[in-house]
Amino acid sequence: MEAEVDKLELMFQKADSDLDYIQYRLEYEIKTNHPDSAGEKNPVTLLKELSAIKSRYQTLCDHYKRVATEQKEIKTRISTTLNKTMTRIQELQKLTDVELLPPTEEEKTATEQLK
Amino acid sequence: ALKDDVNILHDKARLESQESIGFIKATKESMK
Amino acid sequence: TSELEQLYSHVNEKIGNIKKTLSLRNLGQDPTLKTVLNKIGDEIIIVNELLNKFELEIRYQEQISSSLKELSDLLEEDYKDVEHLN
């Protein structure tokens, strides 16, 4: 049984290297028949550039999603902390009956924006 | 299609950046 | 079976690439298809430039994230001070 498995494994390895060789020969032929010049690129080069662009796009997309999620979390944390702080300050005002100037227009708009 | 996707995401990222800048300003205003 | 499936998709992928390359074999000779090739080449350059801009925007967003983190830390300190006062 083991011999059979080894034999199969060898066959797969041979098939794999044959496929690589065929691919190499095809690309070599296209490159020789259609060398890259200044303005023109051969199909094989373009194909490789296309797949490179796609994987770069995917990498950037994943990176962007990570950064965007992180930002949302921090903003939520900021809003929560700010609200807690304001609530505590209001409690302090009641405790100490400190007369505070009414919030300026700017402060009101800022609070509204945050809400 | 890929070109459009990249454009859409780029515009979205730029909008989010502006929104975050506004958020930072508003928070700093409230902290005063 | 999962190893066999991996092997199967690995070989299939290579066969697919060979088929794709085979179809490109005479592409270079046909003048009409040459213009299509050149157009694809131009589009690739444009998309790469767009990706560069997109990458810059992501870098900018990372800077904003660090500013947000600093702000969050400042607010945490403020909150602790107020708690202390309270």
Side-chain angles (χ1 to χ4, degrees):
Chain A
M1 177 64 177
E2 204 166 309
E4 286 299 318
V5 170
D6 291 344
K7 200 175 151 195
L8 259 174
E9 203 174 332
L10 280 174
M11 281 169 70
F12 263 112
Q13 277 167 10
K14 184 172 187 314
D16 197 50
S17 57
D18 287 350
L19 288 171
D20 288 339
Y21 181 68
I22 293 167
Q23 181 74 29
Y24 169 76
R25 280 303 303 268
L26 275 169
E27 286 181 4
Y28 178 76
E29 184 191 310
I30 291 173
K31 280 176 189 167
T32 352
N33 294 344
H34 195 287
D36 283 343
S37 59
E40 289 177 6
K41 289 184 179 169
N42 71 63
V44 172
T45 312
L46 285 177
L47 208 61
K48 285 190 166 124
E49 283 181 4
L50 265 175
S51 66
I53 267 186
K54 281 178 189 167
S55 68
R56 186 181 176 210
Y57 169 73
Q58 199 51 55
T59 312
L60 284 175
C61 270
D62 298 340
H63 191 185
Y64 165 63
K65 278 174 193 153
R66 270 201 318 275
V67 173
T69 316
E70 186 192 16
Q71 261 192 33
K72 267 189 197 110
E73 281 158 14
I74 302 172
K75 281 184 196 174
T76 316
R77 207 184 319 144
I78 285 174
S79 300
T80 318
T81 313
L82 194 60
N83 287 333
K84 279 195 304 186
T85 310
M86 284 184 172
T87 320
R88 273 287 182 265
I89 287 171
Q90 279 152 13
E91 283 164 10
L92 261 174
Q93 280 168 9
K94 282 175 198 151
L95 279 174
T96 56
D97 290 327
V98 169
E99 278 300 319
L100 266 187
L101 294 175
T104 60
E105 276 312 307
E106 271 176 19
E107 280 163 356
K108 275 185 200 157
T109 19
T111 319
E112 278 315 312
Q113 265 180 359
L114 264 177
K115 276 173 187 156
Chain B
L2 187 59
K3 200 164 64 171
D4 301 334
D5 291 347
V6 177
N7 265 323
I8 290 163
L9 271 177
H10 182 235
D11 294 344
K12 190 177 172 214
R14 199 185 301 139
L15 269 175
E16 278 174 7
S17 302
Q18 283 153 12
E19 188 209 301
S20 297
I21 298 287
F23 179 87
I24 290 172
K25 278 182 188 155
T27 308
K28 281 181 177 169
E29 197 55 43
S30 299
M31 286 167 76
K32 284 178 187 163
Chain C
T1 41
S2 69
E3 256 176 54
L4 208 57
E5 274 160 12
Q6 271 174 7
L7 207 58
Y8 175 74
S9 61
H10 172 76
V11 171
N12 252 343
E13 191 190 343
K14 286 198 170 181
I15 291 169
N17 283 337
I18 286 171
K19 280 181 182 169
K20 219 182 277 184
T21 316
L22 267 172
S23 64
L24 298 173
R25 211 170 172 196
N26 305 314
L27 214 60
Q29 271 70 39
D30 183 334
T32 49
L33 292 178
K34 251 188 174 180
T35 44
V36 173
L37 272 179
N38 293 334
K39 207 167 168 247
I40 291 169
D42 298 340
E43 290 282 311
I44 285 173
I45 293 165
I46 292 167
V47 173
N48 253 318
E49 278 158 13
L50 285 173
L51 286 174
N52 291 338
K53 284 182 193 161
F54 185 37
E55 194 164 12
L56 283 176
E57 192 65 38
I58 292 171
R59 292 248 170 79
Y60 181 49
Q61 285 232 339
E62 279 177 331
Q63 286 166 15
I64 290 172
S65 284
S66 55
S67 307
L68 282 166
K69 265 182 209 144
E70 280 164 25
L71 195 56
S72 179
D73 295 342
L74 270 175
L75 275 164
E76 294 282 346
E77 289 303 318
D78 278 359
Y79 178 65
K80 281 175 195 157
D81 294 344
V82 172
E83 278 281 278
H84 183 67
L85 277 173
N86 208 10

